[in-house]
Structures are given as C-alpha cells and as structure tokens.
Amino acid sequence: MNNRTLLEAARQYNTPCYLFDLDAFTSRIRRMGEILGKQVNICYAMKANPFLTAAAARTAAGLEVCSPGEYAICRRAHVPARNIVLSGVNKEEAHIRSVMAEQGAGTYTAESLNQLLLLETCAAAAGLTGVRVLLRLTSGNQFGMDEEDVLASIRNRGSYPHLDLTGLQYYSGTQKKGLERIKKELEKLDLLLGFVREQLDFEFRELEYGPGFQIPYFEGQEQPDEEILLQEFKKSLDSLDFKGIIFLEAGRFLAAPCGSYLTRVVDIKRSLGQNYCIVDGGINHVNYYGQTMAMKVPAYRYLPQDNPARRQKPEHGAIVMDGNKTFMASGHPPGDDTPASGRWTVCGSLCTSGDILVKNLPLEGLTIGDLLVFDRIGAYSVTEGIYLFLSRKLPAVLTYTQKQGLSLVRDVLPTDMLNDGSAAQIYQSQSGSSKRSDT
C-alpha cells in the first residue's frame, strides 16, 4: 500500500487503526502455490490473522482452525466445511458434536489418543463414517503425540471404525532461518511415512507440514529472497519418497507483510535530554515476534501531515518548559545540535513505563498530528495485544483492495464494559438468560 492510501485511511477513519492489504495477501498465496506446484496445497493458519479468513477461503486450499471461536468466524465467512481442518489441543466434546452435526464428516487433527477416542465417539454418535483425521506428531512440546502413540493409532486402527486416518501433521515452530532445519524435518517425516508404509502396511495419503519460514521484522535482519527460498524448498519436497498430497500450513509467512498499523502523534516533549513522542496507540496494539523493550527498530514509515490544522504546534514564541530549561517553541531547544535532537523514543498511551514502541527513532521535524506507520504487522498483532489494559478502545480494522479501495470491517470498539461486568449484563438482558452460553 502506498503512502497516499495510508494517509487517506488515517484521514477517513482516524487512528489508531490496522490496515490489511487483501490483494497482497492473496497474491502471496497464489505465488506460493505457483512455485511449489500442484502437489502442494496451501493451508492458511487463521490464528495468524482472522480478518484475512474470507480472502484465504477464496484463494487457499484450506484453513486451519484451532478453536470454536475461529470455527464460528469461518462459518460466518461462508467457508465451505470441506476446506476446514479443525485443529487445537483442546477439543471440546460439545463443539465437536455440533460441528459433525453441521458439516458431516469433515477433517480433524488428533493431538492425543484421548482426542482420537473423542473423535471416534462423536462420529459414532452422529452416525458418520470416513471422518478424516490427521495424526499430529509432536516436535517435543505439548502439541501432538509422540511417535509411539502415532504408530499405536495405526496398529489399532480397527478400534476407530468411523474414522479415516488420512494423514500426518507436523509443525515445530516459527521463524526458522534458512532451510537446514526444515530439510532435516522433512527427511525425518519421510522416514516415518516410509516405515508406516513398509512395516505397518498402511499408507498415509496426506502430509500437512508447517515449515515456519522466517519473516524479518527488524532493522539489520537479513531479507531472504522468497522466490529462491520457495524454489529450494520445492526441491526438498520433490526429493521425498512420499508421493501423496502435501498441505503446507502457513500463517505468519503469508500474513505478516500484508498489514500496517497507523498511529498518530498526540504529544511531544523533551525530558532529561531525551525526546519523547506520545502516540494514540501503543504496545497494546503492536506485537512483533522477538521484540524486547523496543530495543529493535521495526519496519516503519514516517508521514508528516501537510494540513496545518493537524499540526498543533505551540504558537511561535510561546514559552515551553523542558526540565530546567526554557526555550522558544520550535520543536527543539534553540541551538541544540545533539544527536538526540532528531531521535525520539516513541511511547504509547498506556500508563506503564513499558509502553515503548521503539527507542531513538530518527524523526526529523516531528510534530503533533504526524503519522507513524508500522509495517509488516499483518500477523498476530491484531489479536495478541494486551487490549483490555486501561480499558482503551479497540482500534478500527480496515482492508484494502485495488478494486474496492478502503473498507471498514470493524469499527472502533470500547472495552470498558468488559472490565466491570457491564457487557455480561447487557448480553444477559438481550438473551433473556443469566446462564453461561457455550455458543
């Protein structure tokens, strides 16, 4: 998205807000599919950004869904049931029964022997057969089953007459640098698939794999050539003995470059030799993977406002206090040529000293009303922030396509009612019930 689009978004919908480029997102899915070939199907992990769900449903081969809430989002977006893989470490029986009643057989992951039994029980109760199940192999954490449990599931497959043990799922984490670790994981999976085929006389038809490609967020991080990365990755896939269908699970890699966060400068000051810039957003909205106390500089744009009405500088000649100094209003003390004069610590609107977005950011001529844009924020920030802290409003969420321009998909939402019980009282009065709802 160019600067003109960003400025128009800030002017029309105010700040702070998120803006997601749907054209860029769908283009990344299509290009990934073109490079990797027809054997590979792209599966979007919607936890990366649920606001991209509808766009992913039109472009990707499937969506990985990890909770009842995510499933509800998919259904409201009219995602076909056949395109949903229902995953997650906590599968609730009431929800599984509801999903099976609605969508029929469907596709599920099994992260434990208990989950496998739960799926069998629910399928039998619904009178379903051929319920597709992907057995998740653990990478050494709470997710998935160890190899022995996976093999036991296959050996005892007769105990699950209503299930179709379709494939194997594996995901070991995100932000992997290079391809060495990914190649080793694929070799390991290929050996396991071969063992199952040769020793257990069972053929997995699908492999769902999450490579966890790295997305560079910060200044100084190497920017890999994604075309070359995917071409080399394809060579690893082509070398597998496994010749079934591959579903490539991707979330951050697809979504991160397709989003921007817009926040406006609301105050500037100089304290004890340091320039501070206060913005109307903060760390409750911005969450980069690997960022620690704003010590890293993320991708950003500084867009000064040209409209004088938006640049609320003190009148020229007004007296401004700066610690023990007094100087004429001009943005900086007269004659101050220290390195700090053009560098700013950007802080948000939360009443905590931890609300620092970035330190020592070079912003020459900064003034109230200017716009700061944090890019590569299309994954996770929109849902991972500490949104309820200080009861500040949730930012608006916008999308952009070249055909439709800017669209408001979620307006600004207050959170104060969530922090004193008012929302529950309103919901109960509207539903006519004080009982807890599982929907």
PDB file of all heavy atoms in Angstrom, residues 22 61 104 119 149 236 258 296 359 396:
ATOM      1  N   LEU A  22      -5.533  -6.933   1.134  1.00  0.00           N
ATOM      2  CA  LEU A  22      -6.023  -8.240   0.700  1.00  0.00           C
ATOM      3  C   LEU A  22      -5.430  -8.653  -0.635  1.00  0.00           C
ATOM      4  O   LEU A  22      -5.213  -9.851  -0.879  1.00  0.00           O
ATOM      5  CB  LEU A  22      -7.555  -8.220   0.602  1.00  0.00           C
ATOM      6  CG  LEU A  22      -8.315  -7.892   1.895  1.00  0.00           C
ATOM      7  CD1 LEU A  22      -9.815  -8.035   1.664  1.00  0.00           C
ATOM      8  CD2 LEU A  22      -7.863  -8.777   3.045  1.00  0.00           C
ATOM      9  N   ALA A  61      -6.238 -23.539  -0.330  1.00  0.00           N
ATOM     10  CA  ALA A  61      -6.933 -24.823  -0.429  1.00  0.00           C
ATOM     11  C   ALA A  61      -7.656 -25.178   0.859  1.00  0.00           C
ATOM     12  O   ALA A  61      -8.565 -26.003   0.853  1.00  0.00           O
ATOM     13  CB  ALA A  61      -5.932 -25.918  -0.781  1.00  0.00           C
ATOM     14  N   GLY A 104     -21.011 -32.653   8.737  1.00  0.00           N
ATOM     15  CA  GLY A 104     -20.804 -34.031   8.338  1.00  0.00           C
ATOM     16  C   GLY A 104     -19.428 -34.517   8.757  1.00  0.00           C
ATOM     17  O   GLY A 104     -18.928 -34.151   9.824  1.00  0.00           O
ATOM     18  N   LEU A 119     -12.988 -38.246  18.937  1.00  0.00           N
ATOM     19  CA  LEU A 119     -13.480 -38.131  17.563  1.00  0.00           C
ATOM     20  C   LEU A 119     -14.263 -39.369  17.155  1.00  0.00           C
ATOM     21  O   LEU A 119     -15.305 -39.276  16.487  1.00  0.00           O
ATOM     22  CB  LEU A 119     -12.306 -37.890  16.613  1.00  0.00           C
ATOM     23  CG  LEU A 119     -11.573 -36.550  16.767  1.00  0.00           C
ATOM     24  CD1 LEU A 119     -10.314 -36.521  15.913  1.00  0.00           C
ATOM     25  CD2 LEU A 119     -12.490 -35.385  16.388  1.00  0.00           C
ATOM     26  N   ASP A 149       2.835 -43.298  20.007  1.00  0.00           N
ATOM     27  CA  ASP A 149       1.374 -43.175  20.020  1.00  0.00           C
ATOM     28  C   ASP A 149       0.812 -43.084  18.609  1.00  0.00           C
ATOM     29  O   ASP A 149      -0.286 -43.597  18.330  1.00  0.00           O
ATOM     30  CB  ASP A 149       0.955 -41.960  20.843  1.00  0.00           C
ATOM     31  CG  ASP A 149       1.007 -42.220  22.339  1.00  0.00           C
ATOM     32  OD1 ASP A 149       1.117 -43.393  22.724  1.00  0.00           O
ATOM     33  OD2 ASP A 149       0.941 -41.250  23.114  1.00  0.00           O
ATOM     34  N   SER A 236      13.342 -29.848  -1.912  1.00  0.00           N
ATOM     35  CA  SER A 236      13.265 -30.764  -0.769  1.00  0.00           C
ATOM     36  C   SER A 236      11.978 -31.582  -0.815  1.00  0.00           C
ATOM     37  O   SER A 236      11.974 -32.781  -0.522  1.00  0.00           O
ATOM     38  CB  SER A 236      13.347 -29.983   0.543  1.00  0.00           C
ATOM     39  OG  SER A 236      14.606 -29.358   0.684  1.00  0.00           O
ATOM     40  N   CYS A 258       1.499  -8.132   4.897  1.00  0.00           N
ATOM     41  CA  CYS A 258       0.309  -7.563   4.269  1.00  0.00           C
ATOM     42  C   CYS A 258      -0.469  -6.621   5.185  1.00  0.00           C
ATOM     43  O   CYS A 258      -1.622  -6.299   4.895  1.00  0.00           O
ATOM     44  CB  CYS A 258      -0.610  -8.693   3.808  1.00  0.00           C
ATOM     45  SG  CYS A 258       0.204  -9.900   2.746  1.00  0.00           S
ATOM     46  N   LYS A 296      14.693  -2.971  19.316  1.00  0.00           N
ATOM     47  CA  LYS A 296      14.860  -3.212  17.888  1.00  0.00           C
ATOM     48  C   LYS A 296      13.965  -2.249  17.110  1.00  0.00           C
ATOM     49  O   LYS A 296      12.886  -1.889  17.568  1.00  0.00           O
ATOM     50  CB  LYS A 296      14.511  -4.662  17.535  1.00  0.00           C
ATOM     51  CG  LYS A 296      15.388  -5.688  18.238  1.00  0.00           C
ATOM     52  CD  LYS A 296      14.953  -7.095  17.896  1.00  0.00           C
ATOM     53  CE  LYS A 296      15.802  -8.129  18.610  1.00  0.00           C
ATOM     54  NZ  LYS A 296      15.379  -9.518  18.303  1.00  0.00           N
ATOM     55  N   LYS A 359      12.830   2.922  20.480  1.00  0.00           N
ATOM     56  CA  LYS A 359      13.694   3.955  21.035  1.00  0.00           C
ATOM     57  C   LYS A 359      14.583   4.548  19.946  1.00  0.00           C
ATOM     58  O   LYS A 359      14.952   3.876  18.983  1.00  0.00           O
ATOM     59  CB  LYS A 359      14.576   3.376  22.150  1.00  0.00           C
ATOM     60  CG  LYS A 359      13.813   2.918  23.374  1.00  0.00           C
ATOM     61  CD  LYS A 359      14.750   2.371  24.440  1.00  0.00           C
ATOM     62  CE  LYS A 359      13.985   1.957  25.687  1.00  0.00           C
ATOM     63  NZ  LYS A 359      14.889   1.406  26.735  1.00  0.00           N
ATOM     64  N   ALA A 396      -9.883   0.451  15.017  1.00  0.00           N
ATOM     65  CA  ALA A 396     -10.629   0.043  13.824  1.00  0.00           C
ATOM     66  C   ALA A 396      -9.760  -0.873  12.974  1.00  0.00           C
ATOM     67  O   ALA A 396      -8.528  -0.807  13.012  1.00  0.00           O
ATOM     68  CB  ALA A 396     -11.038   1.272  13.019  1.00  0.00           C
TER      69      ALA A 396
END
